[in-house]
């Protein structure tokens, strides 16, 4: 469908969800208030193996939204997104999460930017935290990056790098997927891996940037990102920091020794401040220690993968060498009469 003329007249919004039946209704309600772009739009939601009431809740919105429901039982957000790609329609794909509250003109703003900036293939918009309960006094932006924890993003309209585009509010031209790009299923939320690596969208955007695709930021395209009560818990924040570090580890191979020393220092400091009452300073040190620990784990994982690949390459090289030696041995033998080679002269 990606390449048909008929589907170029529409826009598709895509997100996956898993066991969010108790919190998904406000999100879908906000989608019913969206202003439709001139050519209309389509919403594709992938139920990623939910075992709660998510399926029934989605069904109840079929008469209120231009909704297509898919089911991908194998856990993994990126796996779910890849499974939905054949359902895309339109020249623009808007990707988001199951915990956003978009402003009514969200899609209109993204469509306008795509029309006015044909040089860009990637688009991002503002992501603002929507606190579902009061924020504790020790949770400050000066202590931890809200961009990592809650995908907060604010910046002016204009050309941007891939790093300025965040998962809850991003759009990609459909031609990118038609060219064969897919989401990596080894990163991103996956319930089969307790400490999965964060950064599924970032990894995807990095590859697109390397391929020459350019980005544009649309400050007027705004979504609120619902921050749930459990996301204000210090342990949740530290686990998040660790997962973020795992995803970033592959980019720090040249600084492994320096990072190892810093990880030891911050690890010791984190154990000391853990004895103190919650405060911005305590959170800052523990967050940094968890991030560094995750980076070191990511580095070890990359080394293990590289070692396995090297072993496979060595095995393949040895096999080719054996085949080459066998071939040269056969060529060195004198052919039997009637099987090629120089004709033997009669006595």
């Amino acid at each position: 469908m990606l390449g048909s003329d008929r589907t170029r007249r529409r826009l598709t919004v895509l997100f996956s969800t898993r066991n969010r039946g108790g919190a998904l209704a406000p999100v879908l309600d906000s989608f019913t208030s969206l202003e439709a772009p001139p050519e209309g739009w389509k919403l594709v939601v992938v139920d990623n193996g939910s075992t709660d009431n998510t399926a029934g809740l989605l069904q109840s919105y079929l008469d209120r939204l231009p909704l297509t429901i898919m089911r991908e039982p194998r856990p993994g957000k990126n796996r779910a997104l890849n499974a939905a790609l054949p359902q895309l329609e339109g020249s623009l794909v808007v990707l988001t999460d199951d915990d956003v509250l978009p402003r009514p003109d969200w899609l209109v703003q993204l469509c306008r930017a795509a029309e006015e900036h044909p040089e860009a293939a990637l688009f991002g918009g503002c992501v603002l935290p929507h606190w579902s309960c009061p924020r504790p006094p020790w949770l400050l932006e000066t202590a931890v990056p809200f961009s990592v924890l809650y995908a907060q993003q604010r910046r002016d309209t204009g050309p941007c790098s891939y790093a300025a585009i965040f998962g809850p509010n991003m759009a990609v031209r459909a031609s990118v997927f038609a060219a064969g790009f897919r989401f990596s299923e080894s990163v991103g939320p996956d319930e089969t891996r307790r400490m999965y690596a964060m950064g599924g969208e970032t990894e995807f955007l990095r590859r697109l940037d390397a391929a020459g695709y350019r980005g544009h930021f649309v400050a007027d395209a705004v979504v609120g990102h619902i921050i749930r009560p459990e996301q204000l818990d210090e342990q949740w924040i530290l686990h998040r920091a660790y997962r973020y570090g795992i995803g970033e580890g592959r980019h720090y191979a040249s600084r492994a020794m320096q990072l190892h020393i810093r990880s030891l220092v911050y690890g010791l400091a984190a154990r000391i401040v853990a004895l103190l009452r919650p405060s911005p300073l305590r959170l800052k040190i523990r967050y940094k220690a968890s991030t560094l620990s995750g980076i070191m784990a990511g580095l070890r994982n990359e080394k293990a993968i590289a070692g396995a690949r090297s072993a496979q390459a060595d095995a393949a090289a040895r096999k080719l060498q054996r085949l080459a030696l066998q071939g040269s041995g056969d060529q060195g033998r004198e052919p039997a009469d009637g099987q090629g080679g120089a004709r033997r002269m009669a006595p």
Side-chain angles (χ1 to χ4, degrees):
M1 279 203 275
L2 287 172
S4 70
D5 292 335
R6 177 183 65 83
T7 61
R8 290 175 187 161
R9 296 192 297 271
R10 301 186 67 184
L11 167 153
T12 299
V13 178
L14 170 62
F15 70 83
S16 72
T17 189
R18 179 180 171 88
N19 289 334
R20 295 271 291 143
L24 193 57
V27 176
L28 297 174
D29 286 341
S30 71
F31 276 56
T32 64
S33 299
L34 287 173
E35 298 172 15
E39 293 80 16
W41 66 292
K42 172 182 179 178
L43 172 62
V44 177
V45 179
V46 187
D47 181 355
N48 193 201
S50 297
T51 55
D52 63 358
N53 66 327
T54 294
L57 179 67
L58 289 171
Q59 289 285 335
S60 70
Y61 280 83
L62 284 172
D63 61 346
R64 302 171 59 189
L65 287 168
L67 176 60
T68 296
I69 304 169
M70 289 191 61
R71 182 170 175 81
E72 171 50 71
R74 299 173 299 162
K77 176 183 174 180
N78 283 354
R79 184 174 293 116
L81 296 180
N82 284 337
L85 295 183
Q87 297 294 326
L88 301 183
E89 297 182 29
S91 59
L92 192 67
V93 182
V94 178
L95 295 143
T96 189
D97 290 336
D98 62 358
D99 53 1
V100 300
L101 302 172
R103 290 186 181 173
D105 63 346
W106 177 47
L107 298 182
V108 172
Q109 294 290 349
L110 288 172
C111 283
R112 181 177 298 133
E115 293 172 359
E116 295 177 354
H117 298 280
E119 75 284 358
L122 318 172
F123 301 89
C126 289
V127 183
L128 308 179
H130 180 88
W131 308 100
S132 58
C133 62
R135 179 160 47 103
W138 47 263
L139 180 54
L140 302 177
E141 281 191 78
T142 54
V144 289
F146 283 9
S147 58
V148 174
L149 287 180
Y150 308 123
Q152 176 179 286
Q153 176 61 306
R154 298 183 181 95
R155 59 168 291 156
D156 294 334
T157 292
C160 68
S161 75
Y162 73 91
I165 301 173
F166 289 5
N169 192 0
M170 61 182 280
V172 179
R173 293 195 190 275
S175 56
V176 170
F177 297 108
F181 285 93
R182 297 295 183 266
F183 297 96
S184 171
E185 298 180 8
S186 64
V187 293
D190 185 340
E191 300 237 348
T192 63
R193 293 176 291 156
R194 188 175 69 88
M195 282 298 180
Y196 60 80
M198 278 178 56
E201 294 90 355
T202 302
E203 188 279 335
F204 175 68
L205 291 168
R206 270 197 178 107
R207 282 187 282 123
L208 297 184
D209 178 75
Y213 292 100
R214 294 296 169 252
H216 192 86
F217 197 84
V218 190
D220 290 331
V222 181
V223 302
H225 192 205
I226 299 171
I227 312 302
R228 303 185 297 277
E230 66 268 22
Q231 294 174 315
L232 304 178
D233 178 76
E234 189 176 38
Q235 285 303 314
W236 182 93
I237 292 170
L238 297 179
H239 284 309
R240 180 87 167 177
Y242 183 80
R243 289 197 301 268
Y244 173 75
I246 292 174
E248 291 295 299
R250 72 189 71 181
H251 307 295
Y252 289 87
S254 63
R255 299 165 55 189
M257 182 56 67
Q258 177 187 358
L259 286 167
H260 180 63
I261 295 172
R262 292 184 67 195
S263 180
L264 291 175
V265 172
Y266 269 97
L268 176 60
R271 285 193 289 272
I272 294 172
V273 299
L275 302 175
L276 305 177
R277 296 181 63 182
S279 69
L281 178 60
R282 165 177 140 152
L283 178 61
K284 184 174 185 176
I285 293 173
R286 298 189 77 191
Y287 181 91
K288 188 69 174 180
S290 292
T291 302
L292 288 167
S293 180
I295 289 174
M296 297 307 298
L299 276 171
R300 290 192 296 271
N301 185 52
E302 285 300 306
K303 288 180 180 178
I305 292 173
R309 288 173 178 167
S310 178
Q312 291 175 351
D314 289 344
R318 288 194 295 270
K319 182 177 180 180
L320 288 173
Q321 187 177 27
R322 287 196 302 270
L323 292 173
L325 289 172
Q326 291 173 2
S328 63
D330 292 341
Q331 291 173 2
R333 297 173 186 166
E334 184 177 352
D337 289 347
Q339 294 184 1
R343 179 176 295 178
R344 299 176 66 179
M345 295 181 64

